[in-house]
Amino acid sequence: MAKEEKIDPFENAKKQIEKAAEKVSLDPNILNQLLMPEKVLVVNFPIRMDDGKIKVFTGFRSQHNKSRGPTKGGIRFHPDVTIEEVMALSTWMTFKNSVIDVPYGGGKGGVICNPKDLSVSELEHVSRGYIRAIAQIIGPKKDIPAPDVYTNQNVMAWMLDEYEKLTGESSPGVITGKPIELGGSLGRDKATSMGAFYVTEKLCELNNKVCKNTSIAIQGFGNAGYYLAKMLYETGHNIIAISDSKGGIYSKKGMDPTEVYHYKNNNGSLKGFPETKNITNNDLLELDVDILIPAALENQITDKNAKNIKAKYVVEVANGPITPKADEILDEKGIMIIPDILSNSGGVVVSYFEWVQNNLGYYWSEEEVMVKLKEKIYKGFDEVHKQSIEHKASFRTAAYILALARLERSMKFRGQA
Ligand code: GLU
């Protein structure tokens, strides 16, 4: 893995904002407020484990900026969660929600734990314990969590149930990414990958040569990585490498992600998938491909490996996979990056649709959801593209410029500058 010691993702997020702010000479009063979260809650909560012992878990919820609406963003369960990471992720959510134009600020939560080491009942208790600990600061009009790394619809269901028990009210809009039976939206499970797929379509349209015999490598085979690989394969792209946290597989002639998915389910790992070669995560990142899709965690492409990246395009499906230093190196090499805050915004867009449906108590068909998602992503892409031409900026900086302009307007109306 290319993961370095001590790369602080919050420092990275601040650098990305400052770079765009400098280009548009942003009012320093606005900038200063955007360089720190409005509120960060740290919670330590006890859980009785299956062996009868009590274990104290630490969690965080960061609310970065509320000027455009209630804060919104997922909850991550991972052993490496830190307060800085959650602060960075909440900052990125503010910019993501602004660039794709959903009426939210940014929030993010995390619990330091490894769900793979917890029994189902321990996982339920951690989910419920965390919600009890943060219940005061969340709500359908305050802060709306959702799934993120290693959390899913079951975790959202327990969290919703715990919140409703505490408040004594039905409150489906407090959390998104719920099971359909509890007010979830059709299409939410595939939303992040569909959003990234629409972004890739637009990228192809912009550089039509990239569409022919496109070779693609995907790092990360979770919910987003798998569906995206499947969609790209089914539309004629050549998936030549896939990896998960344990390592990856490569085949020049390509592979069917659905077969890989079943293989992983049966064998517990990707290793040994027929007619492929085992590779490391770093090997995957350095493959000579048309499109590289980091869809795992942050800080994967750093100043250590950036010079070895050979892809022509990078579509960031993970949050923060490229450090600012690496970003500059890739820029110099002429590698075009579609930034996380645009490419992975499909998840929060359909979360927004879910929340709207919850507020209305009226539910849409999957087709309606997908039509609306596509419209939003295409529009976001075109607007970022326009800014990139206007400001002669990379897509990342252009996305930040667009988001900053919207945030600046809402903050000024509120008298925050
Ligand atoms: N965790 C996802 C993200 O990083 C989704 C957030 C949401 O749906 O609120 O964008």
Side-chain angles (χ1 to χ4, degrees):
M1 279 273 217
K3 198 164 172 155
E4 280 180 358
E5 288 301 301
K6 293 196 193 86
I7 297 179
D8 178 348
F10 187 57
E11 288 305 315
N12 292 349
K14 287 197 283 190
K15 282 192 192 122
Q16 290 163 342
I17 300 171
E18 281 165 337
K19 191 170 174 186
E22 204 184 300
K23 250 190 152 16
V24 292
S25 310
L26 185 75
D27 179 341
N29 288 321
I30 298 284
L31 177 62
N32 289 340
Q33 291 172 69
L34 291 170
L35 293 179
M36 49 197 147
E38 282 178 21
K39 187 185 283 181
V40 187
L41 181 63
V42 182
V43 293
N44 297 300
F45 53 98
I47 296 298
R48 190 172 301 280
M49 306 299 278
D50 290 351
D51 63 5
K53 292 191 183 125
I54 295 280
K55 188 170 169 193
V56 178
F57 286 83
T58 299
F60 312 98
R61 183 75 191 168
S62 171
Q63 300 176 340
H64 176 260
N65 183 283
K66 283 184 183 286
S67 64
R68 288 174 39 85
T71 43
K72 172 117 196 64
I75 294 168
R76 169 174 298 203
F77 283 1
H78 196 277
D80 299 335
V81 164
T82 62
I83 191 166
E84 291 83 9
E85 180 190 46
V86 174
M87 282 158 60
L89 290 162
S90 70
T91 309
W92 286 323
M93 284 310 300
T94 295
F95 283 82
K96 189 185 302 185
N97 292 335
S98 179
V99 84
I100 207 64
D101 205 10
V102 289
Y104 298 128
K108 200 74 155 208
V111 176
I112 307 172
C113 69
N114 190 350
K116 291 177 185 165
D117 295 340
L118 299 174
S119 69
V120 174
S121 107
E122 287 169 343
L123 185 61
E124 174 175 351
H125 290 130
V126 171
S127 307
R128 290 182 184 275
Y130 173 69
I131 282 300
R132 279 197 301 279
I134 67 160
Q136 294 295 330
I137 65 161
I138 62 167
K141 291 182 184 165
K142 286 194 206 170
D143 182 14
I144 306 135
D148 197 80
V149 173
Y150 293 168
T151 56
N152 55 23
Q153 61 164 4
N154 299 332
V155 171
M156 299 304 113
W158 292 319
M159 290 182 169
L160 171 75
D161 185 64
E162 194 63 30
Y163 183 82
E164 292 186 339
K165 280 191 173 123
L166 279 171
T167 58
E169 278 175 19
S170 164
S171 212
V174 70
I175 205 156
T176 59
K178 302 178 290 291
I180 306 297
E181 293 77 0
L182 301 186
S185 175
L186 291 168
R188 177 62 184 83
D189 51 349
K190 302 187 200 90
T192 307
S193 41
M194 283 312 292
F197 176 74
Y198 295 140
V199 159
T200 314
E201 275 189 342
K202 290 294 283 185
L203 175 66
C204 286
E205 196 185 288
L206 199 66
N207 306 278
N208 34 26
K209 62 181 183 312
V210 88
C211 287
K212 290 176 199 126
N213 303 323
T214 315
S215 57
I216 298 182
I218 303 191
Q219 184 203 31
F221 206 50
N223 179 42
Y226 165 58
Y227 275 121
L228 178 58
K230 184 169 155 19
M231 282 300 299
L232 290 168
Y233 175 78
E234 285 169 1
T235 47
H237 298 276
N238 192 18
I239 311 296
I240 67 161
I242 292 177
S243 69
D244 65 10
S245 59
K246 294 186 204 133
I249 48 174
Y250 165 80
S251 154
K252 197 172 181 224
K253 76 178 203 332
M255 59 191 87
D256 176 350
T258 307
E259 283 175 17
V260 177
Y261 180 79
H262 292 308
Y263 181 89
K264 184 182 164 172
N265 276 351
N266 293 334
N267 298 279
S269 124
L270 303 171
K271 277 191 192 120
F273 182 74
E275 292 175 55
T276 61
K277 194 176 113 192
N278 295 336
I279 55 170
T280 65
N281 263 288
N282 200 50
D283 293 339
L284 180 139
L285 297 173
E286 296 180 7
L287 286 172
D288 188 358
V289 284
D290 292 312
I291 306 180
L292 172 64
I293 304 183
L297 292 171
E298 55 268 14
N299 295 339
Q300 297 302 302
I301 304 179
T302 68
D303 51 339
K304 297 275 182 318
N305 59 352
K307 57 184 179 314
N308 302 330
I309 304 296
K310 296 172 201 74
K312 296 184 186 70
Y313 305 91
V314 183
V315 176
E316 291 184 322
V317 173
N319 289 306
I322 303 179
T323 65
K325 273 192 192 157
D327 213 37
E328 274 171 29
I329 300 172
L330 299 189
D331 260 358
E332 277 162 25
K333 284 168 69 94
I335 299 173
M336 182 177 178
I337 302 162
I338 308 297
D340 46 5
I341 58 171
L342 176 64
S343 350
N344 73 22
S345 63
V348 75
V349 168
V350 178
S351 274
Y352 164 56
F353 296 157
E354 181 172 332
W355 179 79
V356 169
Q357 294 170 77
N358 295 149
N359 293 345
L360 289 173
Y362 177 74
Y363 290 84
W364 310 341
S365 68
E366 182 159 349
E367 206 192 338
E368 270 176 285
V369 171
M370 286 304 155
V371 168
K372 288 187 166 72
L373 171 64
K374 187 172 179 170
E375 215 177 276
K376 221 134 176 66
I377 300 286
Y378 274 23
K379 186 161 182 255
F381 190 99
D382 289 340
E383 285 176 331
V384 171
H385 183 213
K386 193 166 158 248
Q387 295 291 325
S388 82
I389 294 169
E390 217 167 279
H391 294 276
K392 294 192 178 56
S394 67
F395 255 55
R396 186 185 315 281
T397 301
Y400 275 84
I401 289 175
L402 176 62
L404 276 175
R406 291 182 178 146
L407 285 159
E408 180 175 25
R409 286 197 294 275
S410 58
M411 288 167 79
K412 286 206 161 145
F413 274 125
R414 286 177 187 277
Q416 287 176 254

